[in-house]
Amino acid sequence: MGLTTPIQQAVDILGNADAYIGGRWHPSIFALRGGTPILPLSAKTFKMQALSEMAGLSVPPFDAEHPDRDAQAIAQQMSSFLDGGVDLREQIRSRAEEMAEDSWANVAYLRG
């Protein structure tokens, strides 16, 4: 996707993709909201690993600087996600909906 892709279009693309491989927080959230499984890449924070665990995927981040080292593991995980089909997507979508609802408690805490 190009940098000028409208936000809603990018969200729709990620949410309807077969899977998302990346190390960025917000695109991963957009993907999960649509039921798209994520394969996290390493980042300078713990956020991608935590997001994967919160989504029920528990996939450790793969090394973003050397994906060739993890190519076989990435392919195996991707295959597993694709084999999960509609059932996996529904589980992810449901969990993402729960997390979205729970996030309102954070807002209420800040307001209180």
Side-chain angles (χ1 to χ4, degrees):
M1 288 181 279
L3 292 175
T4 59
T5 303
I7 298 293
Q8 189 57 56
Q9 185 178 6
V11 170
D12 291 343
I13 290 168
L14 291 167
N16 287 289
D18 290 334
Y20 172 73
I21 301 174
R24 305 300 300 166
W25 175 256
H26 290 99
S28 296
I29 291 172
F30 299 154
L32 292 169
R33 288 287 288 168
T36 301
I38 62 169
L39 279 168
L41 297 178
S42 62
K44 295 184 186 280
T45 72
F46 62 90
K47 291 181 354 180
M48 289 304 295
Q49 182 170 354
L51 183 61
S52 174
E53 291 173 7
M54 289 171 54
L57 298 173
S58 298
V59 177
F62 295 102
D63 187 348
E65 292 184 18
H66 302 285
D68 54 314
R69 293 180 191 164
D70 295 323
Q72 185 172 3
I74 290 170
Q76 288 173 336
Q77 186 60 62
M78 179 66 73
S79 180
S80 175
F81 282 160
L82 297 177
D83 288 346
V86 175
D87 291 338
L88 175 61
R89 291 186 70 88
E90 186 53 41
Q91 289 172 3
I92 293 168
R93 192 178 299 112
S94 176
R95 181 65 186 123
E97 181 67 28
E98 290 173 18
M99 289 189 296
E101 287 296 320
D102 290 347
S103 71
W104 287 106
N106 297 335
V107 174
Y109 176 80
L110 293 172
R111 287 184 176 165

